[in-house]
Amino acid sequence: MPKSAPAPTDSAPLSGRVPAHPGSPGDADRGVLAEDVLALALGSVSDGVVISDDLGRVVYVNPGFTALTGFTLAEASACPDSFGPVPGAPSALLAKVRERLRAGLPVHEEIPGLRHDGVPFWDELIIAPAGDARGGAARRVAVHRNVTERRRLRDALAASQARLQALFDHTHDAILLADDEGRVISSNLSACALLGYDAGELDGLPGERIFDSSERAWRETSWNVFLSAGHLSGECGLRRRDGTSVRAEFNGVARIQPGVHLFLLRDVTERHHMQDRLMRQQRLESVGRLASGVAHDLNNILTPILMAPAILRPYLHEAGARMLLDTVESGARRGSFIVRQLMTFARGEAGEKVALDLRDVVRDVSAIVRETFRKDLSLEAPAPPAAFPVRGDRNQLHQAVLNLALNAADAMSRGGRLVITLERLEASASDVASEPGAKPGPHAVVTVVDHGAGIAPEHLDKIFDPFFTTKPFGQGSGLGLSVVLGIARGHGGFVRITSRLGVGTIARLHVPLCSDPDPRAPAASPAAGQRADGAGAGAGAGRVILVVDDEAPVRDVLRNTLTRAGYHVRCAADADAAFAQLRAAPGGVDLVLTDLAMPAVSGAKLIETLRARRPGLPIVVLTGADTDQSLPPALRGVVNGIVAKPCDADTLLAAVAKVFSPAAAS
């Protein structure tokens, strides 16, 4: 056998003998036999095999290589590389392979290449040095394997894993993976955001550091129950890194892999807040209905008390008796004020709504704070440059902002900084979802901030309840925030209060902005106690007034008051009695003074019937509020006057005299 393999030709059979290593003549027969066996073996494998001599020339390729690459032995031997041609492979990668070969190191690389016919494929190239048992000249054996399908499957798997990882990392729900000890072994970005940690910081934390329960309770109850049942779902509290708590809906699945347990967590804190607001709203509605009923009864009780002093005063000559009567009247007026506040809370009443700039209201309240509040309070009230047009009752909005400022001042008993700001907010549907009457859209927000004692968490859901107060006895009626809430609702807005003990309170009054300002100014109305022209004694001039009220004390005091003013008075306890009086004196009644809330036939129904039968008959309404908006929609604008209960004699007589004035007649 020659000492070196002959140069191959294109016609050399690929299935021929594998080039022999030099050896002794005595080994020739055994060498030929080994080469034949090796050639047979290499010819039957699907991998491509390339053998090069000690000079780096390709001297053998098996049929598998030709099938894989399309290159024959002659074409392969013309390649300068000892591992055969790999066209299309990146030059940097081929340079790396050559460098390792020069260093005598094995090679194992996946190389993108092209077949002889230009079809791309992935070639797994493995090269190892080879030599005979006697340490003959080193040769190289290169094995080429088509791993295109494996590479495709691996890339597909990697892409699938990347998609799953992206889903794991970026899904809205928080995901935790825990080991058998309850320690976190993996967490997604949502879990880190929910709990206030940076990426990766949750790994290794025990469950009792995350779930809002003690370590013993976690070990002995929740965790053991979870492992035993294989799954667990419900709601739980979670502790954030900063110590605050959030509520989460969770679903746990045990052993998704050996020693791996899955937890899906969804933040439901806002949903709980919404439910709390809805429950608070339902409670306030119930309290409002109760307050409305109480106010109605108090109105009927206070009306005769307020009117009686005017009737009794001429008969009292002793100074002590007159002083006592003044005390009774003062107490009744105070009670009347409280009733009006109750009605504002219960009904959210507002007077005539006109276009106004809320900046003017805030400016006026700020002036009151600077001039009349304690000097140890410093006020910050920056004026925004742009207008904040709203449609509302200036007096009520003024009262609402002033109430918030008073509460803020009371909270800072040792002085401090009081801030009143005005800003714009685009309220979303979720912002107003639990606020009755409120609609999404642009709102003006008056924010009053104090740095006082704050409100305890257990009191926050009660602050709008009438008569609830945290102030010492005798220092607050508990109606301030109730009135603010009623005024806000009467204007289609809402109120939000946030507070922390020892830090302070932030109160926000939201009022819808209007896009079509109306420049009309509100009509002036006589102040309480102001006597209108012709409202004094003898002003009645014989006119007949029919008083309709189901409360006998109210009827009696109304009759006395009107009679003293020169009116002839007929009384009826209900609608049926009123119709009977009208039939008994057809055309002889000049005005009907009627209550709205009566049993059987209501005052509203009575008015509708009177309007149908006697269209020109003047009607004045006695009600718990003095605005047209407080009437049922069908009655708005069809009555001649409204008198708020409770009222004094002067207010009543002024309202009646206004109906009979020449201006009203014209």
Side-chain angles (χ1 to χ4, degrees), residues 435-608:
E435 304 295 343
K439 297 179 180 179
H443 282 65
V445 184
V446 180
T447 303
V448 180
V449 181
D450 70 66
H451 300 83
I455 304 171
E458 63 269 20
H459 293 156
L460 272 175
D461 65 341
K462 303 174 184 176
I463 55 178
F464 293 114
D465 292 359
F467 305 114
F468 176 83
T469 179
T470 58
K471 298 176 183 177
F473 180 76
Q475 296 186 20
S477 65
L479 288 172
L481 287 178
S482 302
V483 170
V484 173
L485 179 63
I487 292 172
R489 289 179 177 171
H491 287 78
F494 54 98
V495 182
R496 293 283 168 80
I497 306 286
T498 58
S499 184
R500 291 182 62 184
L501 279 176
V503 176
T505 300
I506 302 175
R508 294 183 175 91
L509 170 64
H510 300 70
V511 181
L513 288 166
C514 65
S515 56
D516 54 342
D518 185 342
R520 293 180 306 163
S525 58
Q530 179 180 350
R531 187 181 293 256
D533 291 341
R543 292 186 177 94
V544 179
I545 296 178
L546 174 60
V547 174
V548 186
D549 198 296
D550 59 317
E551 293 284 340
V554 175
R555 291 196 305 270
D556 291 341
V557 75
L558 290 174
R559 180 175 60 243
N560 275 283
T561 301
L562 293 169
T563 300
R564 289 179 61 252
Y567 296 100
H568 295 297
V569 182
R570 294 174 178 269
C571 291
D574 53 36
D576 290 339
F579 291 134
Q581 289 279 5
L582 289 170
R583 286 193 299 269
V589 172
D590 299 297
L591 181 144
V592 174
L593 181 63
T594 180
D595 188 16
L596 280 184
M598 295 187 295
V601 180
S602 67
K605 184 64 177 177
L606 170 64
I607 294 171
E608 291 179 11

Side-chain angles (χ1 to χ4, degrees), residues 13-24:
L14 296 181
S15 58
R17 290 183 177 180
V18 177
H21 292 283
S24 64

